[in-house]
Amino acid sequence: MDHQNLEGDVFRASPLMILITYTVLGIALIAETILMSWELWAIPIIAASIVICWGLHITQFMSHKIRLYISTILMMVCYFFYGIHITSTYDMPLLMMLIIMIFTTTGEVWLVTACQLTYYFTLAYDIIVMIKTGTEWDSLLVSRTILHIVLMFMTGWIARLIIKKWDTVFHKSDVKIKELNESTARMNAFMANLSHELRTPINAIIGITNVMVEKEDSPELRTDMHEVIIAGRRMAEQVGDILDYSEIEMNQLVVNKGSYMIASILNDLVVELRPIIPDNLELVIDVDAEVPAVLNGDAGKLHKILYHLISNGLKYTKEGGVSVRITSVKQQYGINLCIDVSDTGIGMSKDELDRLYSRFYQAESGRIVRSGGLGISMVIVSGFVRSLGGFITIDSVPEKGTVVRISIPQEVEDDGRCMSINNHEVINLAGFLNIGKFRDPNVREYYNSMILNLVRGLRTSMHRVDNIADLKKLLQKVRITHLFVADEEYEKNCGYIESLTSDIKVVVVAKESFKLPKGAKAHVLLKPFYCIPIASILNSDHTGKDEAKRMYCKDVKALVVDDEPMNLNVAKGIFKRYGMVVSTADSGAEAVKMCKEQSFDIVFMDHMMPGMDGVETMKRIRYDAGKKHKDFPIVALTANALSTAREMFIAEGFDGFISKPIELAELERVLKHVLSKSLITYIDENPHNGSKTGSTNPETNNISGSADLTKGKLGNIEHGADKSNSYANNSKYDKDAAWIADRDTLSDTDNVEIEGLEDGVSLAPLADYGIDINLGIKYCQSGDIYLSLLEQYANEYDEKLAKIEDFYKKKDIDNYIIMVHALKSTSLMIGDKSLSEEAKSLEMAGKNKDLEFIEKNHRAIMDHYIRTSEGIIKVLKLRDENEDEFEVLEFPPEGES
């Protein structure tokens, strides 16, 4: 029979059955040898053979088939030993028929034949002995002998017939299974292709509708457009789920390992989940500060696992909330990342739990109506967890809630704590949150546990009060540095709480719809209230001094060192806003040379650069400056925003640390610290264009606002619906990593003026090409810089594309990786997350030597690059309208050399 059938469920237990049968018969044979006083020397041989067979089976030494051969041969030898004794001659057929029945379960015809031949040979031996000993052959003896021979023949014939029938059934089943698999594969491929095709029009609908919302004055139409956006996002989310499901079904999941920070994953996750959190539910995220700062694994799959678990909990919960607890357990290979997601929802019965991983299953028909969805979330979660080498368990009680526990092995790249605060000994927190107002005791427990773990992890303390009278008493007795206030408590006691902002940093924990009154100085921390943005707030400097004025560093000579030209342009534009005289260097060696030849007041140094990295460059500059008795600050300018990274760079010898993308508040804090006071002044207005500026908008202190995408002004635009992989570039080694401070707190991009935008030119159509204008403007902190960045991106694309194609054709993987890494970084800077993610996939494939993936995806990603670049050219009118589109010639025209 076919080997595949031998490995099937029907025959899988046959070797063990044969071994057990051999053991029982062997022990019986030993007992009969002793009772009948047969050859006693055979006893240790029989016992040894049994032990050998069990040893081979337990250790799985040698192949399945060879072990089967050995067991069969030894059993036949023992059978022959049993049969050569005349007293056993007419007992042999019954025993051999039993053995043949057992051997039939192997599906091997030759084993049946071997049993028959062994019987016939043993019977022939007995007949010869009987003849030699003068046994009288009467009719009864002859008839018994003939009957046994016929029975043995019939037993073998029936066994072969059974095996043949099985073979026919298995063959038909194999054909049917193959047809079903091919049909499933075709369906999955169709669904995957359909999903890819749907992405483009869905994203276009969402982008265009976003733009229309900002232009529409009618409240009714704006409401309808928002509904279109919500529906589009839901459709985009489901399309992404179908793609993931198809990959799981086709067994095509690829684990893309890379460095990531759990803080950045949670940051992106919260931004994505915030619009779908119902007003009556609470989402609580509790992270153990001891989780390592930088891990190595598939951040994309981890993000989706968390998203599906949390969104499922929110969908199936009517009252209460969802809690997420993230911890780690140290192992030799790194850690087990442990995730517990609990909800107070409708729960599941045992039968529903058993069917939970079925395709398209949702518990109870009523649940389908209430929650919607495709019913494949848990299939996706389970498939992703398995692909990452982890496991998942689920406990659920109907009408009580569900707890999902996941453990995933992860490597550790930086075993420092994932969050910590500077000067924790002088920070004293107060919380005016009134957790007792939540009716569900589980939600109160979620918050109490999270706050307790937060203060323990950050090694600080928090004083909690439930009413304004207790708050006043607390402030009379204790010096508080930070006050966290719930939005309801703030609205009831607005005047008093605002009066505290001159001495205390006041943060209002609020829903997205909440707005601070005009002129308020408190900051807003959008829900969910969780540890990462809290740690960021506690690490930021707040004195209240000079908030109404603009910092200015007139004629300060600054050197910016970075190997990526677009990063240099962004930094150069930002620093020039402060009146600095900015020079740039694109390598460590050039920076060392420039510092020898020129004098600078401050140097901003990238960390990860080819050749001489930032640390080595800094030390060489320090050495050369020391010989000339010069001293100037050198500030690390890198993507890692954790306080542990800050400590690392300071320990290496840097004077300060700024994370990328650059936040103005953090930049100004560092400048105050490292520059001489004589180099810093404060003015009421922007020295360049006279408009008031600042790192935050005092009326909102968050990024929820409206947009004007016409000439001269760029505001906010809703993010597109494509939620996949916005988090994958958050390694501390990645230039374009997401910063840790919550993007929805303490920063604003509303009403950013853009100079140089031609009449009649609107940036709104960039959304049609997948460009998130908000993301780009946030990275640049200036509309002018962003416009310059777009132009540079488009103008350089022809040259960069040619290099990428050249390295691809030459299979020069090392240089190919460098070029697609740059494409990943620059695409994210202009706001094209999708292209950035695609470029990263090529980079990771190159590092993993996965040439098949590159061959399969290179063309499509380069086409995406071309569409984005030419879209920018078209929108910004960088090319004469009468000029022909770029033409890519595979071969030169006739007549050209």
Side-chain angles (χ1 to χ4, degrees), residues 31-51:
E32 188 166 1
T33 300
I34 296 172
L35 292 174
M36 302 296 294
S37 299
W38 291 345
E39 296 81 357
L40 297 179
W41 54 263
I43 293 176
I45 297 176
I46 296 171
S49 67
I50 294 173
V51 172

Side-chain angles (χ1 to χ4, degrees), residues 169-194:
V169 170
F170 280 127
H171 177 70
K172 290 181 179 179
S173 298
D174 287 344
V175 172
K176 194 67 177 176
I177 290 170
K178 185 177 179 180
E179 290 175 354
L180 290 173
N181 286 336
E182 289 176 352
S183 176
T184 302
R186 287 195 298 271
M187 178 59 69
N188 286 330
F190 169 75
M191 294 301 292
N193 290 333
L194 178 64

Side-chain angles (χ1 to χ4, degrees), residues 681-701:
T681 57
Y682 294 90
I683 59 175
D684 290 328
E685 293 187 339
N686 188 308
H688 296 295
N689 57 29
S691 64
K692 289 185 179 181
T693 61
S695 59
T696 60
N697 183 332
E699 295 188 8
T700 62
N701 287 342

